[in-house]
Structures are given as C-alpha cells and as structure tokens.
Amino acid sequence: MTNMAVDSINRENELTLWLLISSPRPVTTSWILDYYDIDLNALHQDLSVIGDFTKTFRLTLNPEFDQLSIFGHENDIQQGIMFILMDLYSQTNGQQDHLPQTPFAKQRVIAKIHDGVKNLAAFSDLNESSQVDITNYLWTLTMRYHYGTVKHAAFQQLFTDKQANMIQEYDKLFNWSKGILHDLSQLYKDFEFPELEVYLLTLRVWLNK
C-alpha cells in the first residue's frame, strides 16, 4: 500500500481522490492497474463504489477506452474531496496528521499548510473544527491547481464591486489569504492561484469565525 498519512485509507478512497484532484484530466487504466497491482475485476469493483460516490456529489465518472476521469462543477469536485478528507480526519480523532502525503502532496506542502493555519488561528481565534476545514480546503485547492484543471465563473459573476471591497476590508484575513496561496504555489512553481481564490479563501475563513 502507498505511504499515506492515514494507513487505513482504502484503495477506493485513494483512487477517488486521484480522479477528483486530476479532473477533468484522465488517469490511465494501465497506470491504475500497475500502481495498485490489481486486475480488471478488482478495478471494476472499485469503480462501482466510486460511481456511487460521484453521483452523491452530482459528478460523473467517465470510463473511456483505457482511461478514467471525473467531470463536474468545480464546487462539487471540491466538496467531494473535502468529504474524503473529513472522513480521514475522523479516523485519526485529531491525534495525527490526516492529510494524504505520498503519492499526492509533498511533506513541505503539508507543513506549509499547517504552519499557515496555525498563524491564522493565532490572530483570528478559529476553533479546532474551523482550522480543520481551512486546512482541508488549502490542501484541496493546492492539489486541484497542481494536478487538475480548475474552471470557475468569472470574478464579476461571483462578486460585485461592493462585495469585493467588503472582503478586502478584512485586511488581516485578506493579506493572510494572499500570502498563504502565494507560498503554496511557489512550492510547485507550475501554477499561480488567480486573484479570485484570494477572495474565496478570505470569505471562507470569515464564515468559519
């Protein structure tokens, strides 16, 4: 089994995470069979479970030729990822790091996320559950932009000028959001978070207070 932060993660959850963070980019069937050392019968059983999961989040599992992919709206993709991360957190009872590492995130990425949330909690008084939510959200965003293709509505469709200005007025939270997203993107250097994500993260932190 792979070197996950939580040893008890099952293959279906791990494969679902791969497909979600890669969406809409496909993962080849041959890679899956080789990586997990399974046969087609085992894969078909996994896909039955994954298919039921994706339907819950209004997503579509698309098996095509020799590759697999998941399609859907970005918000639904992120909700699916966050659901799995919360399940992993519940398995640890908060006693150990629950964020998946190999083969997903580098250890330095996870360390940066934890340090960033710790700094945030120091000036914003976030409770433990809110810290876990922001931690999971940062992991989700970073993995989506590194492995997948993220499609959001245009900034103007999500925020009016008045709403954007109100978010900026929470200057400490806004500057923290800008800083942590910049630091995380620099660890990979193959993407940059668009300005929209700074506003969405700031809003999420504010709603968690």
Side-chain angles (χ1 to χ4, degrees), residues 6-42:
V6 181
D7 293 336
S8 58
I9 185 172
N10 59 43
R11 187 176 65 235
E12 294 95 333
N13 274 348
E14 185 174 309
L15 180 52
T16 304
L17 275 179
W18 263 123
L19 294 170
L20 287 169
I21 66 175
S22 301
S23 176
R25 298 176 181 174
V27 178
T28 63
T29 302
S30 59
W31 181 89
I32 295 170
L33 297 176
D34 181 65
Y35 185 79
Y36 291 108
D37 191 23
I38 58 176
D39 59 23
L40 281 173
N41 287 332

Side-chain angles (χ1 to χ4, degrees), residues 60-117:
T60 301
L61 175 63
N62 182 41
E64 186 176 31
F65 302 112
D66 63 343
Q67 58 190 27
L68 301 168
S69 55
I70 288 177
F71 293 98
H73 294 296
E74 183 60 31
N75 184 61
D76 296 329
I77 293 170
Q78 292 185 14
Q79 288 300 313
I81 296 171
M82 297 277 286
F83 181 89
I84 294 175
L85 295 182
M86 278 306 300
D87 183 56
L88 295 180
Y89 177 76
S90 68
Q91 293 179 38
T92 70
N93 294 315
Q95 298 302 307
Q96 68 184 88
D97 186 16
H98 67 286
L99 293 177
Q101 298 176 25
T102 304
F104 299 97
K106 302 175 182 177
Q107 178 56 42
R108 58 180 179 158
V109 173
I110 293 176
K112 178 65 69 176
I113 290 173
H114 285 308
D115 288 346
V117 174

Side-chain angles (χ1 to χ4, degrees), residues 77-194:
I77 293 170
Q78 292 185 14
Q79 288 300 313
I81 296 171
M82 297 277 286
F83 181 89
I84 294 175
L85 295 182
M86 278 306 300
D87 183 56
L88 295 180
Y89 177 76
S90 68
Q91 293 179 38
T92 70
N93 294 315
Q95 298 302 307
Q96 68 184 88
D97 186 16
H98 67 286
L99 293 177
Q101 298 176 25
T102 304
F104 299 97
K106 302 175 182 177
Q107 178 56 42
R108 58 180 179 158
V109 173
I110 293 176
K112 178 65 69 176
I113 290 173
H114 285 308
D115 288 346
V117 174
K118 182 178 180 180
N119 292 337
L120 171 65
F123 71 80
S124 64
D125 297 323
L126 286 183
N127 60 34
E128 181 179 340
S129 63
S130 295
Q131 291 179 48
V132 172
D133 178 78
I134 300 303
T135 296
N136 291 346
Y137 185 67
L138 288 172
W139 188 93
T140 297
L141 276 186
T142 305
M143 295 301 98
R144 284 291 295 132
Y145 275 89
H146 178 55
Y147 289 106
T149 300
V150 178
K151 294 183 179 180
H152 277 303
F155 189 100
Q156 294 78 8
Q157 292 178 283
L158 296 178
F159 298 110
T160 65
D161 289 343
K162 182 179 180 180
Q163 290 171 329
N165 290 334
M166 287 178 61
I167 292 173
Q168 288 185 42
E169 288 176 2
Y170 296 98
D171 54 341
K172 267 194 170 183
L173 295 182
F174 188 80
N175 290 333
W176 175 86
S177 297
K178 183 184 295 185
I180 187 65
L181 291 181
H182 172 268
D183 291 347
L184 287 170
S185 66
Q186 288 302 298
L187 293 177
Y188 283 106
K189 296 185 181 299
D190 61 356
F191 70 89
E192 291 184 3
F193 289 107

